[in-house]
Amino acid sequence: MNNPYPKNNQPIRLRSRYVVQALIALFSAIAMFLLFKGVIFAQTFQVINDEWLWFSSNLQRTNLFAGTKSNNSIEHQDSRLGNFTYDKYFEQKGQPPAYNFLQLLTKDVRGARIDGKDIVFLKTGLRLALKTDLVPSGADQALPYLLEIPNTKIVCVVYPYYFYGCKENKHLVELYSEDGDLLHLFDSLPTHAVKKNPNLLISLNRSGCCDSLKWSIRFYNLSNGKVSKYECPEGACGDMLFLKLEKEGSFLVGLELIGFLSGVGAFLQTNIYIINDNGSLIASGKIIHAFRSPLIHKNNIRDISPFSITKLSSLKPITNNGSGMWFLEFQDKEFKTPLLLRGNNKDKTPAVVFLMPKEDDSKEIIEFNNKEIGPLPTIVICEPGNYEISGRKSKMMKRIKVQSEAINKIFF
């Protein structure tokens, strides 16, 4: 299958839309066949010659609700969920999405104040010294400040610090009751509270840009002090989707990872997380779509794959039998892909490895852990771990470590 490439800044297809549609349907059918046979179709080792598609085993194609109208409990019920991704929304509206279910932690603190080197709690008059040894050694500490959680009297004491040359400020945060009792200590800064549940704090952090972009979303449960984090590696982040699906219930976090090596190919990984109103993960799934093509570009991988988070049209729980399942649907211009999500993904995520020769004219046959993969460049799918690359003719050998949820680029 020939893959699309950009022309006049618009992605086009080298073959008819029917061929593309048929191939994607074939990949999905093969994946489902292996799944029902009880086979993990994330092969331990595989060379990608054209195109490769992987679903976590708890994510299955279905016809259960195909053709029915979605009933997403979001601000505009008739809108596709993918329209609310950060990048797409910004491109269309000129501003980030409005997360109306959140409210910023306020700097209008009523329960305490900083007096010199002390924190004074106004209800009791208790004075506590600001911490001078809380931040890591070697860090430069900025001036501490206070925040308050709306609709509560919980005071946050924020200790900002940074390391020389570090791109981002870091924070340690103490949470106190209005009486001055220490409740929690966090090693990151919550920025918002959920309007209907002030005991759940959230930080929604977008840092860097272009090749250094990074998303990090955290949920802070004040009932038990637990923090859960969902992020993508710096420089590998695509679009991000963050919504509250139900007025009294679940949140959706969708994160894209994009890997690309010029002249070799690209992959798109879509991670989906559903989090309940106390910050606990209740369902998750992953999709990886890899393309081996020297013509593909990073800028159009999201247009090529039907599983970009911008193409998620609907997601809703299946509650009639207490199954804990979710129905979701991806919708491209020409077709829909309905899927069934069952609980949390427990699969080991495959690693995508881009292999490129150091010398452009190299024709040497390469072995990957003693398995012949032919000349470079190529793309290999494998389990994360340690491997050896060797040249059959030169007998050169290189040990490498590959990781999932990362961009593995190896030159040999």
Side-chain angles (χ1 to χ4, degrees):
M1 170 180 167
N2 291 321
N3 289 308
Y5 64 95
K7 182 178 181 181
N8 297 329
N9 295 323
Q10 295 294 326
I12 66 173
R13 299 186 182 273
L14 297 180
R15 294 193 178 181
S16 73
R17 63 186 182 184
Y18 304 107
V19 174
V20 175
Q21 188 172 347
L23 282 174
I24 291 175
L26 176 61
F27 282 124
S28 300
I30 293 172
M32 283 300 296
F33 172 78
L34 292 174
L35 179 62
F36 288 130
K37 287 290 186 179
V39 178
I40 299 176
F41 53 90
Q43 301 291 336
T44 302
F45 174 87
Q46 186 173 344
V47 177
I48 304 305
N49 296 317
D50 185 11
E51 184 177 2
W52 182 80
L53 179 63
W54 176 85
F55 296 94
S56 57
S57 60
N58 65 327
L59 194 57
Q60 306 170 14
R61 284 182 64 92
T62 181
N63 293 319
L64 186 60
F65 291 95
T68 62
K69 185 177 180 181
S70 171
N71 185 29
N72 300 303
S73 298
I74 57 175
E75 185 177 358
H76 304 289
Q77 292 189 2
D78 58 345
S79 295
R80 291 158 48 110
L81 297 182
N83 289 340
F84 293 87
T85 63
Y86 186 93
D87 289 347
K88 187 170 185 178
Y89 193 92
F90 198 96
E91 289 170 2
Q92 294 178 343
K93 307 290 186 179
Q95 61 186 14
Y99 303 113
N100 295 325
F101 51 89
L102 299 179
Q103 54 188 339
L104 282 167
L105 302 190
T106 179
K107 293 183 178 180
D108 183 18
V109 181
R110 299 165 298 165
R113 60 183 174 85
I114 292 179
D115 182 17
K117 296 183 178 181
D118 293 337
I119 310 163
V120 180
F121 293 89
L122 303 184
K123 179 181 177 181
T124 61
L126 177 68
R127 300 178 73 95
L128 294 177
L130 290 166
K131 306 292 175 59
T132 58
D133 58 352
L134 197 61
V135 303
S137 60
D140 292 312
Q141 185 172 347
L143 290 175
Y145 59 91
L146 303 181
L147 293 172
E148 192 168 279
I149 301 173
N151 304 319
T152 75
K153 293 185 179 180
I154 297 178
V155 175
C156 307
V157 184
V158 182
Y159 295 91
Y161 67 95
Y162 61 94
F163 291 97
Y164 180 76
C166 186
K167 297 178 181 179
E168 302 176 38
N169 288 338
K170 298 182 180 296
H171 304 83
L172 289 168
V173 180
E174 292 182 319
L175 269 61
Y176 287 91
S177 71
E178 62 177 335
D179 294 326
D181 297 322
L182 180 63
L183 304 175
H184 302 292
L185 172 64
F186 298 129
D187 62 359
S188 57
L189 176 65
T191 56
H192 296 78
V194 178
K195 285 183 179 179
K196 293 185 177 292
N197 181 15
N199 281 320
L200 181 63
L201 306 184
I202 289 176
S203 68
L204 190 65
N205 184 38
R206 183 179 189 265
S207 60
C209 68
C210 307
D211 289 338
S212 64
L213 174 65
K214 181 179 180 180
W215 277 109
S216 178
I217 302 170
R218 290 180 173 89
F219 292 79
Y220 304 76
N221 185 334
L222 300 190
S223 299
N224 55 24
K226 292 184 178 180
V227 180
S228 55
K229 180 171 64 172
Y230 308 93
E231 61 182 355
C232 49
E234 180 179 340
C237 292
D239 213 343
M240 186 279 296
L241 178 62
F242 181 48
L243 289 173
K244 191 167 178 59
L245 291 168
E246 304 159 2
K247 293 180 180 179
E248 304 296 333
S250 305
F251 300 90
L252 167 65
V253 173
L255 288 171
E256 289 179 342
L257 281 71
I258 296 177
F260 166 74
L261 186 59
S262 179
V264 181
F267 79 89
L268 174 75
Q269 180 173 327
T270 302
N271 293 343
I272 296 171
Y273 308 98
I274 302 172
I275 298 106
N276 69 11
D277 203 37
N278 66 14
S280 299
L281 182 66
I282 56 175
S284 61
K286 296 182 179 182
I287 302 170
I288 301 177
H289 204 173
F291 298 87
R292 168 73 176 96
S293 170
L295 301 176
I296 202 168
H297 287 260
K298 183 177 181 179
N299 293 337
N300 69 342
I301 181 66
R302 285 184 287 189
D303 297 314
I304 297 168
S305 176
F307 302 107
S308 166
I309 198 65
T310 60
K311 296 172 185 174
L312 180 65
S313 57
S314 65
L315 189 152
K316 56 185 178 180
I318 301 173
T319 57
N320 56 353
N321 59 0
S323 62
M325 296 187 297
W326 294 75
F327 168 77
L328 61 157
E329 188 173 67
F330 288 86
Q331 183 174 355
D332 211 343
K333 293 179 180 178
E334 296 107 7
F335 56 90
K336 296 180 180 180
T337 307
L339 299 168
L340 198 61
L341 178 63
R342 301 172 184 266
N344 280 312
N345 166 45
K346 300 183 184 303
D347 297 338
K348 183 181 293 186
T349 306
V352 182
V353 186
F354 298 101
L355 294 171
M356 193 76 174
K358 290 182 178 180
E359 299 178 2
D360 293 339
D361 58 350
S362 175
K363 302 296 182 184
E364 184 169 18
I365 301 300
I366 302 299
E367 293 183 349
F368 193 95
N369 258 28
N370 297 319
K371 295 181 180 180
E372 182 182 313
I373 62 174
L376 303 183
T378 193
I379 300 176
V380 169
I381 307 294
C382 61
E383 291 186 358
N386 298 310
Y387 293 88
E388 290 184 354
I389 305 176
S390 58
R392 176 179 291 182
K393 185 177 180 180
S394 67
K395 304 301 181 182
M396 292 180 58
M397 188 270 288
K398 182 176 184 178
R399 290 186 174 89
I400 63 170
K401 181 178 182 180
V402 300
Q403 298 175 302
S404 57
E405 312 284 344
I407 311 302
N408 300 281
K409 296 181 181 180
I410 309 296
F411 290 83
F412 181 82

